Amino acid sequence: MVETLRPRKLDEALTWLSERKALPLAGGTDLMVHFRNYTGTDSLIVRPVLFTDAIDELHSVEDLGDSLKIGAACLLSELENNELVPSLLRQAISQIAAPALRNRATLAGNVCNASPAGDSLPPLYLYDSHVVLASSSGTRTIPLVDFITGPGKTIRTDDELLTHILVSKSQNEKIYYRKVGTRAANALSKLTVAAFAELENNIIMDLRMAFGAVAPVVVRERAVEIIFIGKSIDQVDLDEFRQAYAPHIRPIDDQRSTALYRKEVALNLAGDFIRKIQENL
Amino acid sequence: MKIEMTVNGELRKLDVNPLSRLLDILRNDLSLTGTKEGCGEGECGACSALMNGLLVNTCLIPIAQCDGSEILTIEGLASSKRGEVLTEAFAEAHSVQCGFCTPGMVLAAESLLRKTPKPDEQQIREGLAGNICRCTGYDMIIDGIQLAAEKGDGLW
Ligand SMILES: Cc1cc2nc3c(=O)[nH]c(=O)nc-3n(C[C@H](O)[C@H](O)[C@H](O)COP(=O)(O)OP(=O)(O)OC[C@H]3O[C@@H](n4cnc5c(N)ncnc54)[C@H](O)[C@@H]3O)c2cc1C
Ligand code: FES
Ligand code: FES
């Protein structure tokens, strides 16, 4: 039987983590499927397990003024209903799996799982989110773009726990989120597009767009965004906008979809976002 | 490891493998076989229960996380007034065919009605999004929940 610990205190968790190099388990909705066992058989997890769900310090959403500090034990269902959380992120969260899943799954788990199809990631990339990693020897705060390095890969070391996610509090007026999957609930994404824009007298003051599941990591290109910032929204040519993103969308074929379909739909949705603002939809 | 949890109002003390699934503990150790295993991967909702008032998939929960928690299964719900209303409404609306999905559907309905006592069709569909039924085509289950909301007016 593997060793497990379910501490209430963060420092206890960090000490044990560094001693045992344990596997952190939050909601278990990725891990219990990955290590699925059948009735009458033992769990397939062979490493020590650190349960993070009972750590008091990781349950709060703290308002820091411009940003929010979201504890690693916060459930997706809590964040979905928290009005401080940017509505774009809430929208993405509300389309993850189904209610019972969101009652166990955490945002931290979605981030650490680092799946190209992790639906919280595109909105988190738009808001330049950061993660806080803690170990018994200190903490470091890292931009999310640097934290995730590939499918399932992060720069977290074995003795570190992700304790918080820092997200901007911006509430944008023109937001756009599309998840393309085989059915409404419990389907992993074929691809996702998240975007927002800020306009003043029709001039684009800010524009951000991120794509999920079309490359090994989330695609967000500030260089492309900048081309269009400062222009009048009516002057943005839809084809030019699509073409600007085309070289960055590099999807693969897998069991959920094909590269061709993903690329075509991603670019169509990119254009759809601009068209919707132009037509004031 | 030793854990304590309240199941259907009764305190249970158990000595368990911390990574056993709540589903297996309910069915095999506590003989509460109303909780079903369909997919074992969080996709079908047959294993639904309420944990501290929240709808969960018991196939995904390591039992160690249940220490100190309150669990409500279909057996506990069925013997309550609200459970009776749901049972009658499901029977009357023909919401049950083979019955395998029914315990999970009833728990998802209970969870929904606690938050939204008068749900419209869209809200019911969202509330049942994690529950799969291979028989009814869902419409009759939705009818059953609407009927329960009417019959049980004031209970939720
Ligand atoms: C039926 C089903 C449908 C799903 N649908 C979707 C979907 O639509 N969109 C989507 O994005 N995902 C989906 N998922 C995947 C999953 O539910 C999410 O990724 C979820 O957010 C994971 O959170 P968790 O708390 O359950 O993670 P866990 O399973 O507990 O952990 C996931 C990973 O993160 C690590 N981890 C967790 N917490 C920490 C921490 N504090 N510090 C360091 N590492 C940590 C774990 O070690 C593990 O590697 C689905 C899963 C299932 C079973
Ligand atoms: S058996 Fe748990 S969701 Fe299917
Ligand atoms: S009644 Fe048979 S699965 Fe729903």
Side-chain angles (χ1 to χ4, degrees):
Chain A
M1 207 180 294
V2 302
E3 272 186 299
T4 62
L5 186 73
R6 186 166 173 254
R8 303 277 309 259
K9 294 253 157 281
L10 182 59
D11 43 11
E12 195 187 337
L14 295 179
T15 309
W16 201 74
L17 187 64
S18 74
E19 284 167 14
R20 300 294 201 290
K21 307 290 180 274
L23 177 67
L25 189 150
T29 64
D30 276 312
L31 287 176
M32 293 295 281
V33 175
H34 187 77
F35 292 104
R36 186 202 166 158
N37 68 292
Y38 292 84
T39 298
T41 64
D42 279 343
S43 168
L44 299 178
I45 302 180
V46 290
R47 280 169 64 186
V49 173
L50 174 70
F51 296 107
T52 61
D53 65 307
I55 304 174
D56 290 328
E57 288 115 301
L58 303 187
H59 274 279
S60 62
V61 176
E62 208 182 321
D63 188 346
L64 301 179
D66 290 344
S67 62
L68 293 178
K69 193 173 172 190
I70 299 176
C74 290
L75 305 175
L76 294 182
S77 58
E78 292 165 352
L79 300 172
E80 181 187 350
N81 293 312
N82 186 328
E83 290 185 358
L84 291 173
V85 176
S87 38
L88 183 58
L89 179 57
R90 288 171 64 191
Q91 208 174 321
I93 289 175
S94 71
Q95 291 181 42
I96 292 180
L101 244 290
R102 298 196 294 276
N103 280 336
R104 294 300 297 167
T106 61
L107 187 61
N110 202 242
V111 168
C112 291
N113 201 47
S115 160
D119 288 336
S120 72
L121 299 175
L124 288 174
Y125 273 62
L126 289 194
Y127 291 112
D128 296 326
S129 307
H130 287 64
V131 297
V132 181
L133 300 172
S135 71
S136 45
S137 51
T139 67
R140 51 180 182 148
T141 301
I142 307 216
L144 182 57
V145 279
D146 299 332
F147 178 65
I148 297 177
T149 54
K153 290 205 178 69
T154 69
I155 60 165
R156 185 181 81 87
T157 59
D158 276 353
D159 62 342
E160 283 179 316
L161 198 63
L162 186 153
T163 57
H164 297 91
I165 297 165
L166 299 169
V167 187
S168 139
K169 259 173 70 186
S170 352
Q171 296 289 358
N172 311 92
E173 230 174 89
K174 310 275 182 202
I175 60 172
Y176 185 86
Y177 182 74
R178 292 290 182 279
K179 166 171 174 161
V180 183
T182 33
R183 57 195 174 101
N186 272 359
L188 291 186
S189 298
K190 292 175 194 272
L191 71 127
T192 54
V193 178
F196 72 76
E198 295 288 342
L199 302 184
E200 246 178 68
N201 301 324
N202 271 352
I203 303 294
I204 303 172
M205 308 305 287
D206 197 3
L207 180 149
R208 303 186 190 188
M209 182 170 270
F211 302 83
V214 298
V217 294
V218 170
V219 171
R220 181 176 165 211
E221 294 296 329
R222 191 61 182 160
V224 174
E225 295 168 1
I226 284 170
I227 300 175
F228 298 94
I229 293 173
K231 289 194 175 168
S232 160
I233 184 75
D234 303 317
Q235 282 164 5
V236 177
D237 178 69
L238 292 188
D239 240 20
E240 190 194 336
F241 190 77
R242 289 165 42 107
Q243 285 317 313
Y245 276 107
H248 304 288
I249 311 289
R250 295 172 285 114
I252 53 164
D253 289 333
D254 66 8
Q255 73 277 21
R256 286 196 298 282
S257 190
T258 64
L260 185 67
Y261 175 89
R262 284 187 162 115
K263 182 151 187 168
E264 199 59 27
V265 174
L267 295 177
N268 284 348
L269 292 175
D272 185 52
F273 166 59
I274 298 295
R275 190 182 58 84
K276 284 222 155 55
I277 315 179
Q278 287 173 339
E279 295 174 6
N280 222 340
L281 294 175
Chain B
M1 71 180 282
K2 293 200 169 29
I3 69 147
E4 285 187 19
M5 59 179 182
T6 305
V7 181
N8 298 331
E10 209 181 310
L11 184 69
R12 310 297 295 249
K13 298 183 182 184
L14 299 159
D15 195 0
V16 291
N17 177 334
L19 294 177
S20 292
R21 305 179 302 171
L22 171 58
L23 171 68
D24 292 327
I25 300 293
L26 290 173
R27 290 181 54 87
N28 302 340
D29 295 42
L30 302 178
S31 303
L32 294 168
T33 52
T35 309
K36 306 296 180 198
E37 174 161 19
C39 64
E41 300 189 347
E43 299 199 10
C44 75
C47 66
S48 302
L50 299 194
M51 179 172 176
N52 300 323
L54 298 177
L55 186 70
V56 296
N57 299 318
T58 59
C59 68
L60 297 183
I61 303 184
I63 194 68
Q65 292 188 318
C66 301
D67 191 27
S69 72
E70 273 186 38
I71 308 289
L72 181 73
T73 70
I74 192 65
E75 289 87 352
L77 179 61
S79 59
S80 70
K81 184 72 196 143
R82 297 200 292 226
E84 279 171 26
V85 171
L86 279 163
T87 308
E88 276 171 31
F90 267 54
E92 217 176 300
H94 302 285
S95 315
V96 182
Q97 288 185 19
C98 80
F100 194 83
C101 71
T102 311
M105 289 290 178
V106 171
L107 280 152
E110 166 72 12
S111 167
L112 170 70
L113 292 170
R114 283 187 187 188
K115 273 178 279 173
T116 318
K118 290 269 169 286
D120 60 27
E121 186 188 328
Q122 189 52 34
Q123 288 167 319
I124 297 178
R125 287 192 184 274
E126 276 161 28
L128 301 184
N131 296 71
I132 290 177
C133 174
R134 297 264 94 150
C135 307
T136 64
Y138 302 99
D139 287 353
M140 289 181 277
I141 297 177
I142 291 165
D143 293 345
I145 295 173
Q146 257 152 358
L147 190 61
E150 273 166 45
K151 286 186 167 221
D153 191 23
L155 281 178
W156 281 281

